Amino acid sequence: MSRGTLRIHLGAAPGVGKTYAMLGEAHRRLSRSTDIVVGLAETHGRRRTADQLEGLEVLPRREVTHGGVTLIEVDVGAVLGRRPEIVVVDELAHTNAPGSRNPKRWQDVEEILDAGIHVLSTVDIQHLESLNDVVEQITGIAEQETVPDAVVRRADEIELVDTTPEALRRRLAHGDVYPAERVDAALTDYFRIGNLTALRELALLWLADQVDEGLRRYKAEHHIDHVWETRERVVVALTGGGEGETLIRRASRVAQRSGGDLLAVHVLASDGLTGASPAALRTLRELVESLGGSYHQVVGDDVAAALLEFARSVDATQLVLGSSRRSRWARALRSGIGAQVIVDSGEIDVHIVTHAAAGSRGWRLPPLTGALTARRRWLGLALALLGVPAVTAACLAAGSAVSLSVVLLAFLLLVLAVALVGGLWPAVAAAVLGGLAENWFFVAPTGHLDVHQVDDVVALVGGLIVAVAVASVVDRSARRATVAARSQAETAMLASLSRAVLAGDRGLPSLLEQIREAFGLRTVAMIERTPDGDRVVGTCGQVGGSPSDAPVEDVTVTDTLVLRLTGRCLPASDRRVLVAFAEQAAVALQQGRLAAQAAEADRLAAANSMRTALLAAVSHDLRTPLAGIKAAASALRSDDIDLDDADRAELEATIDESADRLTDLVDNLLDMSRLHAGAVSPALIPSDAPAVVHRALNGLDGAERARVTLEWPADLPPVLADPGLLERVVANLVSNAVRHVPGGPVTVTAGTVGDRLELRVVDRGPGVPLADRDRVFAPFQRRGDAPSGQGVGLGLAVARGLSEAMDGTLTAEDTPGGGLTMVVSLRAAAVPTPPAPVPAP
């Protein structure tokens, strides 16, 4: 069975006509004799939308009562049982009522699609998960109902239902969207012109990206390689050189004039051994992104081919390159990358931009020091100076048994050996000395540097050229091997450092110590420059123990952070890696500070939330018992009211009850403040749990006490607890159960589980949903819509806090058959074993 197709009507805001358009599509399908039904369509009281339902078969919907409100949900079972060709399911991002078949409506739709039924649905742009934070910045409203982008992208068809902001506001003013009493507030809040324009742009851009992705997929499936100029895209090629900023700004101006996209690309060599400075590329990347472009890196040995391949893959219409930095002589010998790109560009326009560095690079001799150490170069030179006489003596000793070609081959092997040991320049010296020796001792006339035969000249010159060429190749290979090994080590170190920083498991001192060890330094310190002077924020090494003449070097990390190094001067190659290390250290410093700020912000937010809730409790819940005491006391003291004994007793009982309630509230508030301040220090001693429970029940009146049943075994061991705190825990749990189960029974049981003793307070009330179990233990939480005056919602929070202070736990479980069970788990006290009886003598 094939999967059904999904058609989504996408809108920028409520009221643009998504549901109306969806139902219009349903009528068009119905007119073509398609079996289509309405699973759920939200009309929101809009008459014209409701009229669209006429003539369509509407399936029964599922009604769910939650919190006293009846909610209407799509009946997935009814849809699957009816099995139409197409079903209409409105509002894809909707969150289903608790207890539904799926948590989200888009999951209902996925189930229907898997059954092979086609679906018509709607969604607003603000409900897309990836745009949730952007929409909140625009409108100031955080959308709670979202749908994953992947669900919408998988849709077979997406139709944009669009209207101008002015037209939508007129529709709103005419009462076509909201009732009249909500129109003014909507026009001045969510439906402002700026909000609607921004949301419309988001919808258009998001859909344009999906269309572009679909076009690329179509071209790939049909093997279409040439560029379709559906949108201007300007690609700028970057080498990491100084001309990069000029090229980026020029390409940005080209893209802005054409209203197109800016893409920057840097081509990496496949061996990864050569390339630009990472710091320079990072600076160019930041510039590209600040201008609204995107940065990319591709790998390829043929730079021109790699550039054109990338440009065609993104459907680029224009390509911007800098003019060659090579000298005129170098360009005369070999055409540059720009010339090759122009020849092969095809339909892509190529811009060659001149810059200050153009043509500034000429011929350069290789450096005298290669990748080899000085010791190996001296060994190579020694081998050349000793090897030439040795080979000459050996060939002379052989006499006529060896020909000139054998002699030349022997000297060539010597040059190779010298190149392997000492690199290029010792090999060149060996080649020159060998050539002179060959000419003097083996080429007629011997004893002279004159050469009469052309063949001999060719042999000598050719041998010298081959020797130098081979030595160059060997030296380059050694250089590349050294660079590769260093790059691998640097990459491993940086990767380890980055992982540690991202994981947050290494602080600044640890990272500074790694820098000190990696570069062989005496001390490393991170200095922060402030208006009040330099401040050391981290240091490691032999602080104060460095010689006075030890080199000190400052490496700038940011505008305010400097890495101060003591011990040795670092070469340029080490400085490049050191900068990367220093930046990671700066990130670690910032990460630590942000974590501290976040912790402080969380603490302040929790304190502020507690303070706000406390003020609310004082203004509402504490007022009730105080008002009762005041009214009853005033009536008792008044001479204008004639009270009999029954009235006086009732007023006195009111004062007593209100005072008890006030005492409970104040006790809970004080307990909560002590818990938050960490001022609870329980004295854990073996305690008799039944006796503690009996004392806790003394606070209940007679009717409430009669509803509580006690059950525990006779051999119940003592519990390791603070008797006073445990009494408070039990009193809070029992009073909470009695209060929220009016007239119902409450059972207190006790028993042992392993080495722990469990006290259970069991009720037969409505219970608490699993998703809300942890929330009921939060301060100032009441179940349902408990009216003011029934406590400030601290009882369970205090009970859990006191239980945890006694090294215990307090959890909520379902009561078998319905209800809620509160379980207090504490350690059971060890019962001393009675001594064995001593046998009579």
Side-chain angles (χ1 to χ4, degrees):
M1 180 177 58
S2 60
R3 177 181 166 90
T5 60
L6 175 61
R7 178 188 176 101
I8 293 178
H9 293 79
L10 176 68
V16 297
K18 302 180 300 298
T19 304
Y20 188 88
M22 177 183 64
L23 294 176
E25 178 65 21
H27 277 286
R28 284 190 290 274
R29 303 287 182 97
L30 183 64
S31 66
R32 297 196 292 268
S33 300
T34 303
D35 182 15
I36 184 168
V37 299
V38 177
L40 188 143
E42 299 284 0
T43 64
H44 298 290
R46 299 164 189 165
R47 180 180 54 81
R48 295 182 59 192
T49 305
D51 291 343
Q52 285 282 78
L53 288 172
E54 294 183 5
L56 296 173
E57 179 185 347
V58 180
L59 293 180
R61 294 167 295 180
R62 194 169 59 88
E63 295 185 356
V64 180
T65 302
H66 178 68
V69 178
T70 300
L71 304 174
I72 305 298
E73 303 292 352
V74 61
D75 192 337
V76 178
V79 174
L80 298 179
R82 170 66 172 75
R83 292 200 63 80
E85 290 184 50
I86 305 175
V87 63
V88 173
V89 180
D90 205 0
E91 296 188 357
L92 189 64
H94 172 74
T95 300
N96 292 332
S100 298
R101 186 170 181 146
N102 295 299
K104 304 286 287 188
R105 185 166 292 167
W106 65 263
Q107 295 172 320
D108 294 338
V109 169
E110 288 289 313
E111 187 173 349
I112 294 171
L113 292 171
D114 289 338
I117 302 172
H118 308 305
V119 178
L120 303 180
S121 190
T122 64
V123 71
D124 275 327
I125 195 68
Q126 66 263 30
H127 293 301
L128 292 181
E129 182 66 46
S130 65
L131 299 177
N132 189 257
D133 56 339
V134 179
V135 172
E136 183 178 359
Q137 293 175 0
I138 295 171
T139 64
I141 299 174
E143 293 290 347
Q144 301 301 318
E145 295 184 328
T146 59
V147 58
D149 287 46
V151 174
V152 182
R153 289 196 186 100
R154 284 200 301 267
D156 300 272
E157 297 180 62
I158 302 177
E159 178 181 337
L160 180 65
V161 182
D162 186 38
T163 186
T164 64
E166 294 78 9
L168 181 55
R169 284 171 59 86
R170 284 196 302 270
R171 189 179 298 173
L172 188 70
H174 293 159
D176 295 336
V177 180
Y178 290 147
E181 62 271 14
R182 296 178 57 189
V183 170
D184 290 340
L187 286 172
T188 57
D189 188 14
Y190 191 91
F191 287 83
R192 297 194 301 268
I193 287 288
N195 287 2
L196 296 178
T197 302
L199 292 174
R200 187 186 186 199
E201 182 179 11
L202 278 179
L204 292 169
L205 291 175
W206 189 89
L207 188 59
D209 287 338
Q210 305 314 304
V211 173
D212 190 59
E213 181 180 341
L215 178 61
R216 292 184 188 178
R217 188 166 53 249
Y218 175 85
K219 291 178 62 179
E221 291 172 354
H222 292 78
H223 307 289
I224 301 174
D225 296 329
H226 59 275
V227 176
W228 287 1
E229 298 184 11
T230 55
R231 182 197 291 185
E232 286 288 342
R233 290 185 177 86
V234 181
V235 173
V236 55
L238 302 177
T239 63
E243 75 281 1
E245 294 187 6
T246 302
L247 299 180
I248 292 171
R249 291 190 171 91
R250 180 62 178 271
S252 176
R253 291 195 295 270
V254 172
Q256 289 174 359
R257 282 197 297 267
S258 59
D261 300 332
L262 173 63
L263 301 90
V265 60
H266 172 68
V267 179
L268 290 170
S270 58
D271 57 14
L273 301 180
T274 59
S277 165
L281 290 176
R282 183 169 54 253
T283 301
L284 296 178
R285 178 173 189 161
E286 292 172 354
L287 177 59
V288 170
E289 293 174 347
S290 69
L291 294 173
S294 59
Y295 180 86
H296 308 267
Q297 283 187 336
V298 296
V299 177
D301 290 325
D302 189 337
V303 177
L307 284 176
L308 290 173
E309 182 180 357
F310 173 79
R312 291 192 175 98
S313 69
V314 297
D315 278 337
T317 56
Q318 302 186 60
L319 183 58
V320 177
L321 296 88
S323 57
S324 177
R325 287 181 291 171
R326 300 186 306 158
S327 68
R328 185 179 305 171
W329 291 104
R331 291 198 301 271
L333 293 176
R334 183 177 179 273
S335 61
I337 295 173
Q340 186 179 350
V341 168
I342 291 174
V343 171
D344 300 333
S345 62
E347 64 276 12
I348 302 176
D349 297 335
V350 180
H351 302 260
I352 302 295
V353 179
T354 187
H355 50 86
S360 62
R361 191 172 70 187
W363 291 96
R364 293 185 176 91
L365 289 173
L368 287 174
T369 58
L372 303 177
T373 62
R375 180 174 177 272
R376 286 190 58 178
R377 289 195 296 273
W378 283 111
L379 286 175
L381 185 59
L383 179 60
L385 295 177
L386 297 176
V388 171
V391 171
T392 301
C395 292
L396 288 175
S400 60
V402 294
S403 63
L404 180 60
S405 59
V406 174
V407 172
L408 294 177
L409 182 59
F411 279 101
L412 179 59
L413 291 175
L414 174 64
V415 172
L416 290 178
V418 173
L420 289 173
V421 174
L424 174 61
W425 292 106
V428 170
V432 172
L433 293 177
L436 294 175
E438 293 166 0
N439 191 3
W440 185 270
F441 292 103
F442 302 102
V443 177
T446 59
H448 300 277
L449 293 179
D450 300 332
V451 182
H452 295 166
Q453 299 293 329
V454 176
D455 293 346
D456 294 337
V457 173
V458 172
L460 288 173
V461 175
L464 181 61
I465 293 175
V466 170
V468 173
V470 171
S472 300
V473 171
V474 171
D475 183 71
R476 179 174 297 182
S477 299
R479 188 192 308 274
R480 289 197 167 216
T482 302
V483 173
R486 179 182 177 86
S487 297
Q488 184 177 6
E490 292 174 357
T491 302
M493 294 172 64
L494 290 175
S496 173
L497 193 65
S498 299
R499 284 195 301 269
V501 172
L502 291 175
D505 55 359
R506 299 183 64 178
L508 180 62
S510 177
L511 296 178
L512 295 179
E513 178 63 27
Q514 185 174 356
I515 293 175
R516 188 185 70 83
E517 293 177 353
F519 295 98
L521 301 168
R522 286 181 176 272
T523 61
V524 178
M526 180 74 78
I527 309 295
E528 185 175 25
R529 290 171 175 167
T530 65
D532 299 329
D534 291 350
R535 183 169 65 91
V536 178
V537 296
T539 185
C540 70
Q542 304 172 6
V543 180
S546 300
S548 58
D549 59 345
V552 178
E553 187 173 6
D554 287 348
V555 177
T556 302
V557 183
T558 66
D559 293 339
T560 58
L561 291 177
V562 173
L563 204 62
R564 184 160 295 167
L565 315 174
T566 305
R568 70 185 184 94
C569 293
L570 296 179
S573 58
D574 284 351
R575 287 182 62 86
R576 178 177 60 83
V577 184
L578 178 64
V579 169
F581 269 74
E583 290 174 348
Q584 295 294 336
V587 171
L589 174 64
Q590 185 67 14
Q591 191 179 56
R593 289 179 174 177
L594 289 176
Q597 293 173 2
E600 179 66 14
D602 290 342
R603 188 187 67 80
L604 293 176
N608 186 64
S609 176
M610 178 70 68
R611 186 161 44 250
T612 302
L614 180 59
L615 291 175
V618 170
S619 63
H620 294 286
D621 296 282
L622 295 183
R623 183 183 300 172
T624 301
L626 289 175
I629 294 173
K630 174 63 177 176
S634 299
L636 289 173
R637 295 185 59 189
S638 176
D639 297 331
D640 299 333
I641 302 176
D642 187 13
L643 302 173
D644 55 22
D645 292 342
D647 293 334
R648 288 182 176 276
E650 183 177 354
L651 290 175
E652 290 170 353
T654 299
I655 293 175
D656 185 62
E657 180 183 350
S658 298
D660 289 341
R661 183 179 299 171
L662 185 61
T663 300
D664 291 340
L665 292 173
V666 172
D667 286 344
N668 280 334
L669 289 171
L670 291 176
D671 286 340
M672 200 71 237
S673 64
R674 290 167 59 205
L675 288 170
H676 274 273
V680 177
S681 300
L684 302 182
I685 60 174
S687 306
D688 185 13
V692 172
V693 173
H694 281 293
R695 289 198 302 271
L697 299 182
N698 291 335
L700 302 178
D701 59 30
E704 294 174 338
R705 178 65 181 82
R707 293 165 48 199
V708 180
T709 303
L710 306 179
E711 298 177 1
W712 46 70
D715 58 346
L716 188 70
V719 62
L720 195 62
D722 186 309
L725 297 184
L726 182 57
E727 181 182 341
R728 295 283 298 143
V729 171
V730 175
N732 280 355
L733 295 180
V734 172
S735 62
N736 186 75
V738 169
R739 185 185 310 119
H740 290 106
V741 189
V746 176
T747 304
V748 180
T749 67
T752 57
V753 178
D755 62 344
R756 302 187 74 82
L757 186 143
E758 289 187 351
L759 281 171
R760 294 174 173 266
V761 179
V762 184
D763 67 53
R764 297 290 179 179
V768 176
L770 182 63
D772 296 336
R773 294 281 172 84
D774 288 335
R775 194 159 55 88
V776 299
F777 293 105
F780 307 104
Q781 296 289 327
R782 299 190 186 95
R783 188 183 68 83
D785 297 322
S788 185
Q790 293 192 8
V792 294
L794 283 175
L796 295 182
V798 170
R800 170 171 275 189
L802 295 179
S803 299
E804 293 174 349
M806 294 185 290
D807 194 23
T809 60
L810 173 58
T811 56
E813 298 178 356
D814 287 327
T815 301
L820 188 68
T821 299
M822 291 291 179
V823 183
V824 181
S825 177
L826 297 167
R827 285 183 296 167
V831 179
T833 304
V838 180

